[in-house]
Amino acid sequence: MKHIKLLAVAVMALCIGVSLNAKPKIRIIATGGTIAGVSTTSASSAYTAGQVGIQTLIDAVPQILQLADISGEQLVNIGSQDMNDEVWLKLAKRINVLLNEEGYDGVVITHGTDTMEETAYFLNLTVKSDKPVVLAGSMRPSNAISADGPANLYNAVAAAVSPACKGMGVLCCMNNQLLDAKTVIKTHTIDCDTFEGGPSGIIGYVYNGEAHMLQTPNNRHTVNSEFDVAKLDKLPRVGIVYGYANCSPLPMKAFVDANFDGIVLAGVGDGNFYKDVFDVAVGAQNSGIQIVRSSRCPTGPTCLNSEVDDAKYHFVAALDLNPQKARVLLMLALTKTHDWQEIQKYFMEY
Ligand code: DGL
């Protein structure tokens, strides 16, 4: 009997020892992008995104194995200019299973930078966990001189294992910086330092394999989001119309004729329409297509009831969301309601 007790104590101590030394379980989901891109020569800027598979990306950064118990899966292998609703829905559902059913402690997503900000915001509204979800990409292909992908992947894993990143919503990790999903924006076509965090700046940074947070998001996200894609197999159709002097109303008319569910205006200034486009927008709203006013200006809010009487026309003002993110929120809002005042509340909260 005494030996059995001693054996039980030894087994328990072993289990506790193993669990205390166990590394966080991190899943890396690959979707393509320049981080998986290959250039014709290491010095060439000519390259093709989405060429290299997830295991090659992981093998290129063996140091991540010191940070976490790493495993990977390839969802798609595309340039993110080809990102679409189908991949978004698969990605959000897969992340929720990994974090809520398969016991993973965090997820890293390798992704192209062109639409990374949109995917990050979509996941910010649909991931049902406060565990870290971190997107990483690169501006130079995998075989370029001074490729930036391996360091970005290492830093993203460092953030994903960091308790400081829990409850921060979905993050992007590029160039040693951590950016939150709502404010992250790609600002430069070729620079490695392309991502910025809008007026509030970056949310944190990763240095020497450690994540350091500088601020916390003040908008609803992840576990505090009421949007749920679990039962959705498609998303409402929302288009974006770009505004400019003497703007043609044809693009907005085309969305109306195609029975889109919503239209976002990337308007001039504080989300203003050209007069001919305004007339089409009023007709669209009256026919049940929700109009959201955003702005082509890179910074500054699109304000409610400013030069446009939103209350009169039942338009929604995008407030702090740029056109591409206003589109994401409008798509998800339309899965819950078509009431313009309810939708405006979502733009105030998310
Ligand atoms: N094709 C672009 C994309 O996949 C390249 C940009 C990048 O990933 O840095 O987003």
Side-chain angles (χ1 to χ4, degrees), residues 26 95-101 104-107 123-134 159-171 213 217 220-225:
I26 300 298
I95 290 169
N96 285 327
V97 166
L98 287 166
L99 297 179
N100 298 328
E101 299 176 28
Y104 283 85
D105 298 299
V107 170
L123 295 175
N124 209 41
L125 302 174
T126 56
V127 165
K128 297 299 175 193
S129 171
D130 63 359
K131 295 176 182 174
V133 175
V134 187
V161 303
S162 169
C165 293
K166 196 173 167 90
M168 289 289 160
V170 173
L171 301 173
M213 305 315 287
R220 293 176 69 181
H221 59 75
T222 56
V223 292
N224 293 317
S225 168

Side-chain angles (χ1 to χ4, degrees), residues 88 118 121-122 125 324-333:
W88 276 358
E118 297 171 58
Y121 191 54
F122 177 79
L125 302 174
Q324 54 270 32
K325 291 190 183 177
R327 173 177 173 271
V328 171
L329 181 51
L330 181 55
M331 286 165 74
L332 289 168

Side-chain angles (χ1 to χ4, degrees), residues 14-15 37 105 127 134 154 211 284 305 327 337:
L14 181 65
C15 291
D105 298 299
V127 165
V134 187
Y154 178 82
N305 299 322
R327 173 177 173 271
T337 178

Side-chain angles (χ1 to χ4, degrees), residues 7-327:
L7 181 62
V9 169
V11 168
M12 276 175 62
L14 181 65
C15 291
I16 291 168
V18 167
S19 63
L20 288 178
N21 293 325
K23 295 192 181 88
K25 265 180 71 176
I26 300 298
R27 192 73 165 179
I28 303 177
I29 302 176
T31 70
T34 298
I35 193 170
V38 174
S39 62
T40 46
T41 70
S42 59
S44 161
S45 59
Y47 74 93
T48 306
Q51 300 303 299
V52 167
I54 177 61
Q55 198 51 51
T56 305
L57 294 178
I58 292 173
D59 293 345
V61 194
Q63 298 88 337
I64 59 178
L65 303 179
Q66 296 155 24
L67 297 174
D69 171 3
I70 294 284
S71 60
E73 60 187 73
Q74 192 84 39
L75 182 66
V76 290
N77 210 349
I78 58 174
S80 78
Q81 62 268 43
D82 291 330
M83 188 49 67
N84 58 47
D85 297 0
E86 181 190 357
V87 176
W88 276 358
L89 287 169
K90 279 181 184 170
L91 186 56
K93 291 173 183 176
R94 181 65 182 138
I95 290 169
N96 285 327
V97 166
L98 287 166
L99 297 179
N100 298 328
E101 299 176 28
E102 296 188 7
Y104 283 85
D105 298 299
V107 170
V108 168
I109 301 141
T110 57
H111 193 290
T113 59
D114 287 357
T115 59
M116 184 185 284
E117 64 203 72
E118 297 171 58
T119 299
Y121 191 54
F122 177 79
L123 295 175
N124 209 41
L125 302 174
T126 56
V127 165
K128 297 299 175 193
S129 171
D130 63 359
K131 295 176 182 174
V133 175
V134 187
L135 288 88
S138 75
M139 293 299 287
R140 297 177 183 144
S142 63
N143 63 332
I145 300 170
S146 300
D148 53 326
N152 289 342
L153 180 56
Y154 178 82
N155 288 338
V157 172
V161 303
S162 169
C165 293
K166 196 173 167 90
M168 289 289 160
V170 173
L171 301 173
C172 294
C173 182
M174 290 287 293
N175 204 41
N176 281 77
Q177 296 179 332
L178 292 173
L179 304 110
D180 88 283
K182 180 168 183 176
T183 61
V184 62
I185 182 167
K186 184 173 182 178
T187 65
H188 198 282
T189 55
I190 57 174
D191 195 339
C192 285
D193 191 19
T194 183
F195 281 96
E196 292 185 7
S200 52
I202 64 173
I203 196 172
Y205 61 93
V206 182
Y207 187 70
N208 268 346
E210 298 266 327
H212 303 273
M213 305 315 287
L214 300 173
Q215 50 185 323
T216 55
N218 58 12
N219 52 288
R220 293 176 69 181
H221 59 75
T222 56
V223 292
N224 293 317
S225 168
E226 62 200 277
F227 303 114
D228 189 344
V229 296
K231 297 186 174 69
L232 295 182
D233 54 18
K234 62 179 184 173
L235 293 168
R237 294 190 301 163
V238 175
I240 300 177
V241 170
Y242 199 84
Y244 49 88
N246 200 39
C247 184
S248 166
L250 290 177
M252 190 171 278
K253 277 181 182 168
F255 284 134
V256 173
D257 295 345
N259 296 314
F260 264 49
D261 302 292
I263 302 171
V264 173
L265 173 78
V268 294
D270 190 3
N272 292 314
F273 299 89
Y274 182 69
K275 56 187 172 60
D276 298 352
V277 179
F278 175 79
D279 294 342
V280 176
V282 172
Q285 184 71 41
N286 293 338
S287 70
I289 298 173
Q290 184 57 55
I291 299 291
V292 173
R293 295 188 303 108
S294 184
S295 173
R296 71 181 200 180
C297 295
T299 56
T302 304
C303 304
L304 193 58
N305 299 322
S306 50
E307 287 188 74
V308 177
D309 187 346
D310 297 302
K312 178 178 177 185
Y313 298 105
H314 296 180
F315 296 157
V316 166
L319 308 179
D320 298 318
L321 290 178
N322 63 25
Q324 54 270 32
K325 291 190 183 177
R327 173 177 173 271

